[in-house]
Structure formats: structure tokens, C-alpha cells
Amino acid sequence: MKYYSHDYNNPVKFAPSFNLHKQTAVDWKDALRMTYAPVSPQYQEWPAALREESIDFCKHERNFGAMLLTLLSEALNLAPDYLTETINCMDRQIMMMNFYPPCPQPDLTLGTSIHSDMGSITVLLLDEVGGLQVKHNGDWVGVDPIHGAFVIIIGDQLEAFNSSSFVIYMHAKFYSDCCI
């Protein structure tokens, strides 16, 4: 397969799990990851079947992300461009599409392992299947998908910058109602 890779630096990569060689149990998902910043995207390398729509989505998402970071800067009583220009929160942008195929034993796996996100913000567009859960006050809480709505997750970078205002939540994609 042209895009199959475990090299994190590839601008386009497809893999069933990004830590396949490091984990004893893997996530039950397929993921396509396409980097579109900091380097100019090499769009011709993106899969042709979704190239046009992905380029359009990335342009809109980049504007949306910049708007969110401007609002977060202002909420911290900082200059509007502080997080985008001074802290450079827009420097690395990745579009990741996860597909969760039917799992024969959903009680034995996770769709995506428990984690926090390393960047500044994550913008999620959920499908109708759901399964996203966040750990809040020691309990796993389901995030109900709302058609057309985005879920915004604060990443490690923003929490490290201002831990008194930004709190990261561990999250995962569960296959069943049974949580850890």
C-alpha cells in the first residue's frame, strides 16, 4: 500500500495503529494522517479520491483554528494574536481521519487508547456512531455526537502554557459501554 507507514515524519501515512511496534495491544482503528503545516502541503501526494475535499476542509479548518486561538488569547487577557504568532500554535497542523471497523470483541479493545493530545487544540468532527469519552472528575463521560458540531479539545501545549486556565482531559474512543 502506497501510504502505509510507521514513520511519524511522513506527510501522508496510513496505519492501523501508530504505535504498532511499541504497544502490546493496538487500537482497533485504521487512520489516515495528512500533515498540512508547517511545510507547504504536497497535495499531489494526498490520496486522489479525497484530495479536493481535504484541501478545502484544511483551508476552512486553518481559519477556524486561528479564530479559536484568537478567542483563547483574548480570554487570557493577551493580545489577540498571542497564541498564533508569539507561541506559534498554528505551526503544526495535521488532518487525521479515523475509521473504526466492526470489532468482533469490543469489550477487549479500545478504538483509540486513552491519551491527551500533544498540540495546542484538536478540532473533532464526530460521526453518528459516537464512542468518544473524556475522563472528568475520575469518571468516564460519553460525548454525544451532535450532527455538524465540532468538539474542541485543549492539548498539552496550551495546558503547559497556562495550566491555571486550560485543563487537558484524557480521552479515548471506546467500542462498548464498558469503560476502564
Side-chain angles (χ1 to χ4, degrees):
M1 290 193 337
K2 178 179 179 180
Y3 299 109
Y4 185 81
S5 173
H6 291 289
D7 181 356
Y8 189 77
N9 295 314
N10 280 357
V12 179
K13 102 176 186 169
F14 169 79
S17 175
F18 294 121
N19 297 313
L20 189 61
H21 300 291
K22 297 177 184 175
Q23 293 174 292
T24 54
V26 296
D27 297 340
W28 194 267
K29 71 175 182 182
D30 293 329
L32 179 64
R33 176 183 172 272
M34 299 185 297
T35 302
Y36 61 100
V39 296
S40 293
Q42 298 172 336
Y43 293 126
Q44 71 277 8
E45 296 296 320
W46 289 16
L50 52 86
R51 186 177 303 140
E52 248 181 76
E53 292 81 2
S54 297
I55 291 169
D56 191 46
F57 182 84
C58 287
K59 288 177 183 174
H60 290 292
E61 193 282 328
R62 186 166 178 79
N63 292 335
F64 183 60
M67 181 192 69
L68 285 174
L69 290 168
T70 298
L71 293 172
L72 290 170
S73 291
E74 291 175 352
L76 293 170
N77 294 317
L78 300 168
D81 65 351
Y82 187 81
L83 292 173
T84 56
E85 300 300 323
T86 305
I87 302 296
N88 299 319
C89 289
M90 296 288 290
D91 275 6
R92 185 161 180 87
Q93 296 179 311
I94 298 167
M95 177 173 23
M96 181 139 37
M97 293 173 260
N98 294 331
F99 172 68
Y100 301 97
C103 181
Q105 295 180 295
D107 54 326
L108 298 179
T109 190
L110 294 172
T112 301
S113 300
I114 298 166
H115 67 286
S116 62
D117 295 339
M118 67 179 177
S120 55
I121 57 173
T122 297
V123 178
L124 292 176
L125 179 60
L126 304 178
D127 62 15
E128 66 281 351
V129 175
L132 175 65
Q133 295 196 18
V134 296
K135 195 163 195 176
H136 180 67
N137 293 331
D139 296 319
W140 286 102
V141 180
V143 177
D144 294 328
I146 299 172
H147 180 73
F150 291 107
V151 175
I152 309 302
I153 296 176
I154 299 295
D156 299 338
Q157 182 182 12
L158 281 187
E159 199 249 354
F161 166 70
N162 192 325
S163 61
S164 63
S165 298
F166 298 127
V167 177
I168 60 167
Y169 287 94
M170 299 302 285
H171 53 282
K173 171 24 176 135
F174 290 96
Y175 260 99
S176 67
D177 294 334
C178 174
C179 300
I180 295 175

